[in-house]
Amino acid sequence: MREILLVRFGEVYLKGLNRPLFMRALVDRVRHAAEPFGGHVWLKDSRIYVSDMNDTQACARRVAQVFGIHSVSIAKEMEKADFEAVCQAAIEMMADKSGSFKVRASRSDKKYPYDSPQINEIVGGRVLEANPNLHVDVKNPDYTLVVEIREKATLHIGRIEGAGGMPMGTAGKACLLLSGGIDSPVAGYMIARRGVRLMAVHFHSFPYTSERARDKVIELARILSTYCGKIDLFIVPFTEMQMKIHQHCPEEMTTLIMRRQMMRIAERLALRERAQALVTGESLGQVASQTMEAIASTDDVATLSIFRPLIGFDKIDIINYAEKIGTYETSSLPYEDCCTVFTPKHPLTRPKLEDVREGESRLGEEMETMLQACVDGAEKVIVEDGVLVKGPKPEGEAEG
């Protein structure tokens, strides 16, 4: 008898002739997740299995974070021919339990000497004899002991919910505009969950935004990378551009014009890195720059598709997601990003595109030079699987 993980996948089942492509990507990601725990991974009978782990619980939690996984169960596996061993394993697994339970058996081997109802009855009876603290409830049990008879016999209780979605890297690459706020990390997670590989761009206006604000964004990227794998984060020096906008453009338009420059810079970096789309954390109507008219003025400067996974979300929905994926606490740190610098007192909420273009034209021919300087001056930080691979250490962290 040995301990294994039963790993179930969901949406990949719906794929047709290209399903093998998605399955290879998914198995590779599970193998990568299990590697630090010494796990051996294989695919058989529409299941992914993991064995030989040095920390079963930690490995199960990590595998459950892989995009494309529906659920994970920690199971006992043994030879199916020894039915007494199956019963004994069930007794041991339920020994510390109290309350109600049921047994749910399934068998793909139709030549097995017991059918599913018989397995339910025999195994359930043996468990009841051994543990007087349990009673049977087939409708609403506290515990469901699952017995599966396939090539071997496996038993498990409960499951860890998986991340769902599609295997990472099966839907192309996109560039996330990553601020220090709550919304954009959630948007990145949600688009990555659909199989998209991420790069990220952050705009830093030192000294108006502090080094701690930069470190905060690196930490957000690091957290995201625990789900998304490798992320190249480009930190763009935005101070000169922002100062010019503040000095030359109409005050009520400065936020809109700033966001147009961000889109231009992000798109240039995205194209350089062979990304196929841009991703933002905008939610319709949340702030003045996220009305339909304001969003249209931003889209005006981009040629790549712009994905906005949160466009119809309430703020409380976004916060709940941020708490779930572990970014909320970091996003809530009081270090401002460049979007809060030189904020106009009365920003336009229903801008006319021709007016925004005219206001932006006041930057003159110098705008192109500044845009390229932002692209050329971007600092590259690399995070992967929750580890800072390349980039500055957070403020206060000792040199290794």
Side-chain angles (χ1 to χ4, degrees):
M1 183 171 65
R2 64 174 177 172
E3 197 167 52
I4 65 170
L5 301 184
L6 298 181
V7 185
R8 306 171 189 87
F9 43 90
E11 197 171 339
V12 175
Y13 275 120
L14 303 178
K15 297 299 175 183
L17 296 177
N18 60 351
R19 179 176 167 183
L21 170 69
F22 288 85
M23 285 307 310
R24 284 195 296 270
L26 183 57
V27 172
D28 284 346
R29 290 308 303 167
V30 172
R31 188 171 287 118
H32 182 76
E35 185 178 8
F37 309 97
H40 171 60
V41 178
W42 73 99
L43 173 68
K44 190 175 182 63
D45 297 332
S46 299
R47 290 273 181 83
I48 299 172
Y49 296 88
V50 186
S51 66
D52 305 320
M53 302 146 286
N54 54 38
D55 187 334
T56 303
Q57 295 286 343
C59 186
R61 290 192 297 269
R62 184 68 189 93
V63 169
Q65 290 183 327
V66 173
F67 293 132
I69 297 305
H70 176 67
S71 64
V72 179
S73 292
I74 298 172
K76 301 290 186 182
E77 180 190 69
M78 65 212 69
E79 295 299 328
K80 63 184 177 183
D82 190 350
F83 190 65
E84 176 58 32
V86 173
C87 293
Q88 191 58 42
I91 291 170
E92 292 173 2
M93 293 174 71
M94 299 298 294
D96 61 343
K97 307 292 190 294
S98 62
S100 61
F101 84 108
K102 75 173 182 180
V103 178
R104 187 177 75 235
S106 64
R107 56 165 196 161
S108 59
D109 180 4
K110 301 307 179 184
K111 295 181 180 180
Y112 199 67
Y114 304 105
D115 61 21
S116 296
Q118 289 174 321
I119 296 171
N120 290 340
E121 182 179 350
I122 297 170
V123 173
R126 294 289 300 276
V127 170
L128 279 175
E129 289 176 5
N131 188 345
N133 295 320
L134 290 169
H135 64 275
V136 174
D137 183 347
V138 297
K139 292 185 177 181
N140 189 30
D142 296 321
Y143 306 97
T144 298
L145 173 62
V146 179
V147 181
E148 298 186 3
I149 306 297
R150 298 191 177 204
E151 184 177 343
K152 294 182 181 293
T154 58
L155 293 83
H156 59 87
I157 305 168
R159 57 180 62 188
I160 301 170
E161 181 183 357
M166 298 299 295
M168 190 181 71
T170 56
K173 182 178 180 180
C175 175
L176 171 67
L177 278 72
L178 183 62
S179 72
I182 296 170
D183 301 345
S184 57
V186 176
Y189 173 89
M190 293 183 71
I191 205 71
R193 187 171 176 261
R194 298 309 306 160
V196 175
R197 191 176 298 276
L198 290 181
M199 61 171 285
V201 173
H202 174 70
F203 296 89
H204 186 52
S205 293
F206 185 81
Y208 299 102
T209 55
S210 68
E211 293 301 304
R212 288 188 176 183
R214 181 205 60 181
D215 293 343
K216 169 183 171 180
V217 170
I218 294 173
E219 175 63 10
L220 287 172
R222 187 195 66 77
I223 296 169
L224 278 179
S225 75
T226 62
Y227 304 96
C228 308
K230 181 173 178 285
I231 299 175
D232 293 340
L233 167 65
F234 294 88
I235 300 176
V236 174
F238 200 57
T239 308
E240 182 181 359
M241 175 69 79
Q242 204 160 8
M243 287 293 295
K244 292 292 184 181
I245 293 170
H246 176 65
Q247 291 167 358
H248 297 288
C249 299
E251 182 188 5
E252 68 276 11
M253 296 183 186
T254 53
T255 299
L256 292 173
I257 294 171
M258 177 189 72
R259 293 184 70 83
R260 284 165 65 90
Q261 309 319 309
M262 287 179 171
M263 282 293 180
R264 288 187 171 104
I265 294 163
E267 182 171 76
R268 293 187 187 193
L269 287 166
L271 291 171
R272 192 183 76 184
E273 299 297 314
R274 299 185 179 180
Q276 300 157 281
L278 303 177
V279 182
T280 78
E282 290 163 304
S283 173
L284 187 62
Q286 187 177 119
V287 294
S289 62
Q290 295 178 20
T291 63
M292 282 192 181
E293 293 87 345
I295 288 173
S297 76
T298 302
D299 288 356
D300 176 57
V301 302
T303 59
L304 289 177
S305 298
I306 302 173
F307 297 146
R308 296 180 171 93
L310 308 182
I311 196 68
F313 277 52
D314 290 337
K315 191 67 176 184
I316 190 65
D317 297 329
I318 301 171
I319 289 172
N320 288 340
Y321 245 109
E323 290 175 336
K324 178 182 177 181
I325 67 175
T327 56
Y328 179 73
E329 185 175 343
T330 301
S331 292
S332 299
L333 293 174
Y335 310 132
E336 296 181 331
D337 59 38
C338 66
C339 293
T340 61
V341 178
F342 307 130
T343 303
K345 292 181 179 179
H346 303 289
L348 286 180
T349 58
R350 299 286 186 265
K352 293 182 179 179
L353 184 55
E354 58 271 23
D355 292 340
V356 176
R357 288 172 177 170
E358 193 282 326
E360 181 183 74
S361 69
R362 301 182 191 184
L363 293 173
E365 296 179 358
E366 192 177 2
M367 185 180 80
E368 173 58 32
T369 302
M370 290 188 293
L371 285 171
Q372 195 57 44
C374 287
V375 173
D376 294 340
E379 173 190 15
K380 185 176 181 179
V381 175
I382 302 174
V383 291
E384 184 171 7
D385 298 328
V387 177
L388 177 62
V389 177
K390 174 187 176 182
K393 292 181 178 294
E395 187 173 298
E397 184 176 317
E399 293 290 334

